């Protein structure tokens, strides 16, 4: 039962990641992050002037999913 529940939760987590990844692709966030590590503010600017708060939430979600790296000391995200 524990193995089943673990697999189910992993699949569910993956399913919830798809929309945020699609948002990142559509808004050019991944492409902007490929240029160099960036803070949320820098990333928002590179992606065409998006709102920094929403970019930060998006980037932190990507870091939690393991798609990007986050350095809390410098507050930078890296692809």
């Amino acid at each position: 039962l524990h193995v089943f529940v673990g697999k189910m939760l992993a699949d569910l987590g993956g399913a919830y990641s798809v929309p945020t990844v699609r948002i990142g692709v559509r808004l050019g966030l991944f492409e902007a992050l490929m240029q160099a590590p960036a803070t949320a503010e820098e990333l928002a600017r590179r992606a065409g002037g998006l709102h920094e708060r929403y970019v930060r939430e998006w980037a932190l979600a990507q870091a939690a999913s393991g798609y990007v790296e986050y350095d809390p000391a410098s507050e930078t995200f890296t692809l």
Side-chain angles (χ1 to χ4, degrees):
L1 179 63
H2 291 292
V3 173
F4 172 77
V5 170
K7 171 134 179 62
M8 183 185 69
L9 290 175
D11 290 347
L12 186 61
Y16 280 115
S17 296
V18 171
T20 62
V21 169
R22 288 192 60 178
I23 288 169
V25 170
R26 292 182 92 192
L27 294 177
L29 290 163
F30 286 112
E31 189 174 324
L33 197 53
M34 282 187 341
Q35 296 173 13
T39 64
E41 183 179 355
E42 293 165 338
L43 185 56
R45 189 171 41 252
R46 281 187 214 163
L50 301 174
H51 195 287
E52 182 268 337
R53 177 175 178 256
Y54 297 123
V55 170
R56 177 182 306 283
E57 294 296 329
W58 173 85
L60 288 171
Q62 299 314 298
S65 296
Y67 293 117
V68 302
E69 297 291 322
Y70 177 64
D71 178 17
S74 62
E75 296 185 347
T76 57
F77 298 91
T78 306
L79 189 60

